[in-house]
Amino acid sequence: MKTVKSLLFGSAAGLLVIGGAQAADLPIKAKAVEYVRVCSLYGAGFYYMPGTDTCIKFGGYLRADTTVAAGDYSFQQGTQGANNRISNYWFSRARMDMTIDTRTATEYGVVRTYADLVYTWTTGNYTGSPTSTYAGDGIGGATLGVYHAFIQFAGFTFGRTVSIFDAPWQSYPAGGPDTLPGGSNHVTGVNQVAYTADFGQGITGSIALQDPTQYDQSNLWNTTGFATGAAAAAALVSGTYGTNDWGGTRSPDIVGAVRVDQAWGLFQLSAVAHDLHAAYYGATELSGHPADKWGWAVQGSLSIKNIPTGPGDSLNLQAVYTDGATRYNFQSLFPQSFFMFSGSGAGAYQSTGFAGLSDGVFGVGTGIDTVKTWGFRGGFTHNWSPNWASGIYGAYANLSYGSTGKGLICTNFALVANPGSTCNPDFNLAAIGTNVVWTPVKNLAFTADVVWTHLDQKYSGTITSPGIASVAKPAAVYELKDQNSVSMLLRAQRNF
């Protein structure tokens, strides 16, 4: 009996083991894999983030630039304007740009975030002689930049993006250099809080509080206690007319714009109020200070599409007037002090032209004398075929100091002026350029762009300059003369 029981229990245990093994071999239903789904709500390239109702899109471009006789693509000024062995005739830049765009539909409308990050390596400059100093990106180094970083919700924009004052094409009506005057440019973004109301039929109105620091503040010249003797003279011939004496930012720039954007094209009228808040006349609070003064600017922009010259062609035009808000004309990428050199026919060592830009000028006991400017720019783009396009563009701008500002600046000009010379810090600047773009395949473009720039300065006669050591210019007699520049950009760019 014991033997039979053992056999029975053994058989049962064997059956349990076999049954367990068979159960383990049965297929188990796997959890469903959530594949990335295309989001068609906001155009091509968006995908749903897994597990959410938020759509995301990655994009950007990779760009390689080479400029000839220009430095960073602009007219020949500063180190490049020296026109000697210190100047770069060959300049290059490599840039990687990445954008991240997210959007979520809510009961209040779409919530959007957008970021635009750039990684750039740029050729630097050598200055000085016989011991030269390099300034620029180093071996294996690069510069990280943030162009845009904003949140949009219920008509509001919070963060960093282009200004509502700007034309949609910024300062590039048909391509061109970074330094075209004739209107504002915040292509690299500016911090702000903005609200846009949509009235339908392509008509919108916007208002913004915008941070003016850096991007929209030109110089605020204080001639009180400015450097004397050779130091003052050296600063003057570099386009520095005083100390740049801003106080802290007390008010944002207040910007408003109305836009009509329809099938025929676009019209925009924008205006800005800009607070001029200086520090002190001297080194301490006891020296006193000028009262704040509000500057302003107004700009009109017009774009015409569907013109008879061909599909996709466009004509972009804009004009601006500023009073105490110079950088809304001579924009954020335009140098705020510069000099240029070339040959002379007056028996002087060379000729020179220099300019200093400013929102206003003050001296001890005076108020702020605002600087007035006006300008315009425009461009026409023609598409010859799906693979070839070309553009032509131009710009012209004027800057004029008030009588008080001129008097203060010309007091220092006397340090370098020779008999018969006249002082007038006003100037005009003109630029004309053209380009051709070849697009062999979609999102890959090769561009050649050439621009001529003319400085029409209003000083006359000759000066005895103490020289500019950073660009190896000697102390000598220089003729005050208009200056010209020709620059070229070669670019390869792949968008993705």
Side-chain angles (χ1 to χ4, degrees):
M1 181 61 98
K2 276 176 101 177
T3 303
V4 172
K5 282 184 178 180
S6 298
L7 287 172
L8 287 173
F9 284 121
S11 298
L15 288 171
L16 287 172
V17 171
I18 294 170
Q22 288 174 340
D25 291 340
L26 290 175
I28 298 174
K29 188 174 181 180
K31 186 177 180 181
V33 177
E34 186 176 13
Y35 294 100
V36 175
R37 296 179 295 132
V38 172
C39 174
S40 59
L41 298 175
Y42 311 109
F46 281 91
Y47 296 87
Y48 282 102
M49 297 176 66
T52 75
D53 57 357
T54 296
C55 298
I56 189 168
K57 178 180 180 179
F58 296 97
Y61 63 80
L62 196 149
R63 174 188 294 173
D65 287 348
T66 297
T67 62
V68 180
D72 190 359
Y73 194 39
S74 66
F75 61 97
Q76 295 168 326
Q77 49 83 27
T79 303
Q80 309 312 315
N83 282 314
N84 61 14
R85 296 183 66 84
I86 303 294
S87 305
N88 282 350
Y89 288 171
W90 185 265
F91 177 97
S92 65
R93 166 178 288 162
R95 170 173 291 166
M96 170 69 178
D97 178 285
M98 174 172 284
T99 61
I100 306 168
D101 191 347
T102 73
R103 306 190 195 190
T104 307
T106 75
E107 60 270 30
Y108 295 97
V110 175
V111 177
R112 183 189 186 197
T113 68
Y114 186 86
D116 184 1
L117 310 176
V118 291
Y119 307 85
T120 305
W121 196 97
T122 303
T123 300
N125 295 306
Y126 284 98
T127 57
S129 182
T131 302
S132 58
T133 302
Y134 177 81
D137 290 332
I139 296 173
T143 301
L144 170 64
V146 179
Y147 281 3
H148 303 273
F150 63 83
I151 300 169
Q152 288 181 323
F153 173 71
F156 287 92
T157 298
F158 306 91
R160 181 182 183 83
T161 187
V162 297
S163 172
I164 64 171
F165 189 90
D166 300 338
W169 51 87
Q170 297 296 318
S171 65
Y172 312 95
D178 292 331
T179 50
L180 282 185
S184 63
N185 178 12
H186 297 85
V187 68
T188 59
V190 62
N191 290 3
Q192 62 190 278
V193 176
Y195 177 76
T196 298
D198 190 339
F199 303 108
Q201 304 296 316
I203 302 172
T204 58
S206 302
I207 188 168
L209 302 178
Q210 180 173 297
D211 186 350
T213 312
Q214 291 291 311
Y215 290 90
D216 300 311
Q217 292 176 335
S218 183
N219 295 300
L220 187 56
W221 298 131
N222 179 0
T223 62
T224 305
F226 186 47
T228 59
L236 184 81
V237 299
S238 300
T240 300
Y241 296 157
T243 56
N244 187 20
D245 196 12
W246 285 95
T249 301
R250 294 298 176 86
S251 172
D253 282 7
I254 304 168
V255 191
V258 177
R259 178 183 292 191
V260 180
D261 191 351
Q262 298 174 340
W264 60 267
L266 172 145
F267 174 75
Q268 177 176 296
L269 185 65
S270 50
V272 61
H274 175 68
D275 181 35
L276 277 62
H277 177 78
Y280 297 97
Y281 291 123
T284 72
E285 301 169 356
L286 298 177
S287 61
H289 60 83
D292 283 19
K293 194 167 186 177
W294 282 86
W296 58 275
V298 61
Q299 176 174 265
S301 306
L302 175 67
S303 179
I304 303 175
K305 304 174 184 176
N306 301 320
I307 53 183
T309 54
D313 291 4
S314 63
L315 177 65
N316 295 326
L317 303 167
Q318 67 191 108
V320 66
Y321 181 86
T322 77
D323 184 351
T326 296
R327 270 194 144 167
Y328 286 93
N329 180 359
F330 293 91
Q331 35 88 7
S332 62
L333 299 180
F334 193 94
Q336 299 300 290
S337 295
F338 64 90
F339 55 83
M340 304 169 71
F341 289 88
S342 63
S344 173
Y349 173 69
Q350 289 178 346
S351 70
T352 186
F354 51 85
L357 289 74
S358 179
D359 283 341
V361 185
F362 66 93
V364 62
T366 76
I368 298 173
D369 188 20
T370 56
V371 175
K372 298 173 176 60
T373 81
W374 57 265
F376 59 86
R377 60 181 171 230
F380 170 67
T381 300
H382 175 62
N383 292 278
W384 300 94
S385 74
N387 304 104
W388 290 92
S390 61
I392 184 170
Y393 56 86
Y396 190 89
N398 164 270
L399 181 144
S400 298
Y401 283 89
S403 57
T404 299
K406 283 182 181 177
L408 293 169
I409 292 168
C410 289
T411 298
N412 288 329
F413 179 79
L415 296 170
V416 295
N418 292 328
S421 298
T422 59
C423 174
N424 185 348
D426 300 348
F427 69 92
N428 303 317
L429 191 130
I432 298 175
T434 186
N435 55 60
V436 60
V437 181
W438 176 45
T439 308
V441 296
K442 185 178 180 181
N443 293 327
L444 175 65
F446 298 92
T447 302
D449 192 300
V450 178
V451 61
W452 169 77
T453 305
H454 175 71
L455 171 64
D456 174 18
Q457 54 93 47
K458 300 304 180 183
Y459 295 106
S460 66
T462 63
I463 59 172
T464 300
S465 170
I468 304 176
S470 62
V471 292
K473 290 297 178 183
V477 173
Y478 292 83
E479 180 189 7
L480 297 167
K481 186 179 178 181
D482 295 350
Q483 301 292 318
N484 296 286
S485 165
V486 177
S487 307
M488 181 172 67
L489 166 73
L490 302 174
R491 169 174 292 168
Q493 180 166 318
R494 166 73 160 127
N495 296 335
F496 55 87

